Amino acid sequence: MIFKQIKSGGDRNFAYLAGCQKTRDGALVDPAPDPEAVMKAVNGHGVNIRFIINTHSHHDHSSGNEYFKKLPYPPRFIHCSEDTRVKDGEVLKMGELIIKFIYTPGHTKDSICIKIEDKLLTGDTLFVGKVGGTWSSKDAKTQFCSLKKIFTLPAHTEIWPGHDVGVKPSSTIGFEAEKNPFIKRLSDFDDFLWLKKNWSTYKNEHGIK
Ligand SMILES: [Fe+2]
């Protein structure tokens, strides 16, 4: 499998290139907000970009889509608009790779995680040591349920987040289960919500940047 994490501008955004080693078919995940930087990073890998996939509709993840519509061979857009939305558990074949979509609402209504082999691209659902923002207790509960769902995956599953805001650029389910203070609270929603509400104080007290 061809796989590359790409610094794509914005608020330490990460885009991703994933491709089939054999057929050279590839996908870009969240190639925004600087699509040209993403293309620069992709060039030289000999991958034909067949798919553009967004983890959710926030501008800093989706604003690059327009750029790819103008390419001579435009890719297929997946989860990039209402009419291209995927469903929970839906799969997509890309060369010899199987891409699986896991619906993980909470940060936004349309948030998904993308599983390719043992890698999970989590967008703004899960970061290294943190989770994505929510703006009501109801959304926090929705996110809590989504996180519970992805934390049934095997411990060795790799986590590749949408922003570089943690102590390292990627992680694993096992590491996050042990170290991420939000994930440690997945047994009790009130405790999880308390941490969301008191995050800035908690961060300062625990020296988290
Ligand atoms: Fe977001």
Side-chain angles (χ1 to χ4, degrees):
M1 172 181 180
I2 300 155
F3 187 78
K4 194 175 163 64
Q5 183 183 55
I6 303 159
K7 288 183 177 167
S8 54
D11 181 17
R12 291 169 285 167
N13 278 64
F14 280 139
Y16 293 92
L17 165 70
C20 171
Q21 193 85 48
K22 194 172 171 194
T23 66
R24 314 307 289 182
D25 292 314
L28 290 174
V29 174
D30 292 347
D34 186 350
E36 284 180 15
V38 176
M39 273 313 266
K40 233 182 196 173
V42 167
N43 283 337
H45 282 77
V47 177
N48 299 312
I49 302 301
R50 307 284 186 212
F51 305 103
I52 302 289
I53 310 170
N54 291 160
T55 57
H56 63 299
S57 53
H58 277 167
H59 197 251
D60 59 332
H61 296 257
S62 62
S63 62
N65 296 352
E66 285 306 312
Y67 173 91
F68 294 95
K69 284 179 189 163
K70 291 179 204 138
L71 293 182
Y73 300 98
R76 192 178 138 200
F77 291 83
I78 294 177
H79 210 64
C80 295
S81 60
E82 281 309 321
D83 53 343
T84 63
R85 292 269 177 262
V86 291
K87 292 190 183 77
D88 187 41
E90 199 171 324
V91 294
L92 172 72
K93 213 166 174 301
M94 182 172 72
E96 294 189 339
L97 293 176
I98 299 286
I99 301 176
K100 187 179 176 188
F101 302 103
I102 305 171
Y103 184 46
T104 54
H107 172 71
T108 61
K109 274 189 184 145
D110 59 8
S111 290
I112 56 169
C113 290
I114 301 166
K115 190 166 182 296
I116 314 173
E117 295 196 332
D118 56 0
K119 298 180 196 308
L120 188 71
L121 280 56
T122 54
D124 289 0
T125 294
L126 173 66
F127 302 128
V128 177
K130 301 174 178 111
V131 296
T134 46
W135 290 271
S136 70
S137 298
K138 195 172 162 236
D139 290 345
K141 183 71 195 260
T142 306
Q143 184 186 46
F144 177 81
C145 295
S146 292
L147 289 166
K148 270 171 113 61
K149 185 158 79 175
I150 60 175
F151 274 82
T152 59
L153 289 168
H156 70 265
T157 309
E158 296 168 20
I159 301 297
W160 295 89
H163 293 267
D164 186 14
V165 293
V167 292
K168 53 184 182 176
S170 68
S171 187
T172 62
I173 284 282
F175 185 90
E176 292 307 302
E178 200 179 311
K179 302 277 187 199
N180 186 317
F182 292 97
I183 304 310
K184 281 159 75 178
R185 286 165 170 79
L186 282 188
S187 54
D188 182 348
F189 175 64
D190 289 337
D191 209 9
F192 178 86
L193 187 62
W194 175 88
L195 186 59
K196 285 221 145 206
K197 288 181 172 167
N198 294 281
W199 180 235
S200 57
T201 315
Y202 182 95
K203 254 186 0 180
N204 290 338
E205 282 174 6
H206 291 78
I208 299 167
K209 282 182 187 151

